[in-house]
Amino acid sequence: MFHTGLRSGTAVHAEESAPDSELYFQRCRWCHTTTFQRLLCPTCGSTDLSPELSEGEGVISVRRGVAAADADLWPVHMTEGFVVRCRVDGPLHAVRPGVRVKLSSGVGVTGRRPVVRLCEEVPLDNWF
């Protein structure tokens, strides 16, 4: 549902994209930098970005300066090298930086953000 490639210079709308369990990112054809929902490459400034399908796996990262409206969003470093802010499906005590996550196929879309689920459960008594 998060297809972000470009067609004829315009962003692809969600209605034209793949099912909820797929996440598309962009790769610069010049410097091969990966990015998510951009019009220009953040490294070289090229507009020649090609859409690619993500494997849907990543690691939760540290979040800083979180606004109240974004309190349930976490930055996730995907295996392809881009970062996307996601909602995390799992127990609150287990959602923390360093935990592996995978794109959720059952939860679907919450607003315009991808939803990921925890790959590993952390028991409540082992969390400090």
Side-chain angles (χ1 to χ4, degrees), residues 42-102:
T43 302
C44 71
S46 171
T47 58
D48 196 5
L49 304 173
S50 64
E52 292 187 22
L53 179 63
S54 172
E55 292 180 15
E57 297 180 0
V59 176
I60 296 176
S61 181
V62 175
R63 60 183 182 172
R64 295 185 172 98
V66 179
D70 296 335
D72 61 341
L73 297 176
W74 286 83
V76 176
H77 284 267
M78 303 304 282
T79 56
E80 294 85 4
F82 67 97
V83 178
V84 61
R85 293 174 49 157
C86 302
R87 299 192 191 287
V88 181
D89 180 30
L92 290 178
H93 74 275
V95 179
R96 67 188 193 315
V99 175
R100 289 185 13 230
V101 292
K102 185 169 180 74

Side-chain angles (χ1 to χ4, degrees), residues 6-29:
L6 299 179
R7 291 187 189 163
S8 307
T10 60
V12 176
H13 297 289
E15 299 81 41
E16 302 174 22
S17 64
D20 291 344
S21 62
E22 294 181 342
L23 180 69
Y24 285 83
F25 64 99
Q26 298 148 305
R27 186 178 304 274
C28 177
R29 290 188 175 135

